Amino acid sequence: MALSAIKSGALVSLKDLMHPSSEFFKDGASLRVTGKLVEYSVETAIAIIVDGNVNLKIDTQHLIELSIRIGSIYQFIGELLVQSDNEAILKARVGRNVDGIDLNLYHQSLQLLRQFQADHLNKRTN
Amino acid sequence: MNQRRRFSFSLYQTHVKLLAFDLNSLNQTSSSDSVSFSRKGYAVSCTEIVGVVVFRDLKPNRFLKFSVDDGTACVGCILWLNHLTSSYFASRHHQDVRILGDMATHFAAQIRVGIVVRVRGKLSSYRGMVQITVSDVVVEDDPNAEILHWLDSMRLAMKCYDLSPTPT
């Protein structure tokens, strides 16, 4: 894959992703999601991560070197696949264990980052 | 010398901490043999970014290309590995060049897809896109390192890099 073809995974919380009016919930969207891994199937390499009361399926088949541990916090970057029944699965191309992450700080910083980026883009276009 | 010029000089010598989306939108000015970069009128030459390695392409004894995603955008990085064969280093002391080469080889071995790295280097341009010519790499094990870098980058932008020059 060419370097220029790599899309950045937009930072999104599971709560924002699964919100009915979410701008991120679309087929093919490149995303970065974070949550506690609560289920994993060795046969299918499908994991489920949870943040609060929202969960998301993650296809980890390309993450051969990632060591999976139930109960750990993981961050995945990949493309969202929205199926016909409107169920979503993230096809992960990158994954890492982030045990020890301060999730409150992460979510607050994410809001600040989004606002900062929007302000900069507004200034540039005005 | 006015404030703007003094500030410009200090930024020019600094590894500015910019978010990737900001880095990718730097103004580029090309001359016959080089490209210079500026942000809001201030010249910048070096940068420091933190993010996840999402792409890696190694050409042994030539270079390692990799891409860092900080959540706002991806930035291409190039780590040269041709110290012992490149004419660029021909005039430098052989022992120094060997040390630089060994360091680069060590960095290249550490860089894997999925890890978080802090990259410092010089700004360069490849096919019109901003690229970092890497001078050093630190692998970040702290899962909060990237968050702290976001906060640091935003604080520096608001308190330092975005400051308007004081009229004299």
Side-chain angles (χ1 to χ4, degrees):
Chain A
M1 193 185 292
L3 199 148
S4 57
I6 307 286
K7 278 197 197 166
S8 172
L11 296 156
V12 62
S13 66
L14 295 190
K15 191 176 132 205
D16 287 348
L17 174 63
M18 295 308 191
H19 193 272
S21 60
S22 174
E23 59 179 300
F24 301 102
F25 195 89
K26 54 188 174 196
D27 196 49
S30 296
L31 304 173
R32 187 198 301 203
V33 293
T34 306
K36 183 192 266 194
L37 197 141
V38 291
E39 269 185 58
Y40 179 71
S41 160
V42 178
E43 288 80 24
T44 59
I46 303 287
I48 296 178
I49 59 165
V50 173
D51 185 13
N53 56 0
V54 187
N55 63 49
L56 179 68
K57 278 186 183 173
I58 310 286
D59 181 348
T60 67
Q61 64 173 309
H62 297 302
L63 309 181
I64 302 157
E65 289 179 15
L66 185 69
S67 156
I68 300 284
R69 199 162 49 204
I70 303 286
S72 281
I73 312 283
Y74 285 85
Q75 196 163 70
F76 294 100
I77 301 174
E79 279 61 47
L80 195 71
L81 185 69
V82 180
Q83 293 157 335
S84 53
D85 53 358
N86 220 30
E87 198 180 329
I89 183 165
L90 187 88
K91 286 185 82 71
R93 52 185 155 85
V94 176
R96 65 185 185 114
N97 182 310
V98 288
D99 279 342
I101 193 169
D102 184 334
L103 282 172
N104 282 333
L105 180 66
Y106 177 76
H107 289 305
Q108 285 178 46
S109 304
L110 222 151
Q111 298 301 321
L112 286 173
L113 193 62
R114 216 169 271 164
Q115 187 59 50
F116 178 81
Q117 211 171 342
D119 289 348
H120 264 246
L121 291 173
N122 282 342
K123 277 182 199 162
R124 209 176 294 156
T125 50
N126 289 340
Chain B
M1 192 186 295
N2 65 27
Q3 288 289 322
R4 181 190 178 97
R5 200 155 171 74
R6 262 188 282 165
F7 193 56
S8 170
F9 281 150
S10 64
L11 268 191
Y12 192 76
Q13 298 294 337
T14 305
H15 284 94
V16 288
K17 292 184 180 182
L18 293 178
L19 295 165
F21 85 94
D22 210 349
L23 202 58
N24 284 338
S25 56
L26 291 175
N27 291 319
Q28 298 188 37
T29 310
S30 302
S31 64
S32 56
D33 60 345
S34 66
V35 181
S36 56
F37 299 87
S38 65
R39 181 183 181 279
K40 302 196 175 195
Y42 296 118
V44 288
S45 58
C46 303
T47 191
E48 175 177 323
I49 59 164
V50 176
V52 181
V53 177
V54 292
F55 171 82
R56 183 185 194 271
D57 180 24
L58 176 68
K59 301 283 183 224
N61 300 318
R62 290 170 61 201
F63 57 78
L64 171 70
K65 273 189 180 184
F66 60 102
S67 187
V68 173
D69 184 349
D70 75 355
T72 69
C74 288
V75 179
C77 301
I78 185 157
L79 173 64
W80 290 105
L81 301 170
N82 60 350
H83 295 73
L84 298 179
T85 53
S86 168
S87 58
Y88 182 79
F89 295 100
S91 61
R92 295 181 64 170
H93 193 270
H94 182 72
Q95 194 60 29
D96 294 344
V97 174
R98 183 169 286 279
I99 290 169
L100 286 173
D102 287 348
M103 276 174 59
T105 305
H106 173 68
F107 293 146
Q110 288 185 303
I111 295 167
R112 288 177 291 108
V113 169
I115 63 167
V116 171
V117 287
R118 182 178 301 274
V119 177
R120 296 191 192 97
K122 283 188 175 173
L123 293 167
S124 53
S125 181
Y126 181 67
R127 294 180 177 167
M129 297 289 290
V130 173
Q131 177 181 256
I132 299 174
T133 300
V134 178
S135 52
D136 62 280
V137 178
V138 176
V139 176
E140 291 286 358
D141 293 324
D142 179 354
N144 297 300
E146 205 182 5
I147 305 169
L148 298 174
H149 180 78
W150 297 338
L151 296 173
D152 224 6
S153 299
M154 288 187 281
R155 182 183 58 81
L156 282 165
M158 289 185 284
K159 303 268 185 194
C160 181
Y161 307 152
D162 286 358
L163 289 183
S164 298
T166 308
T168 52

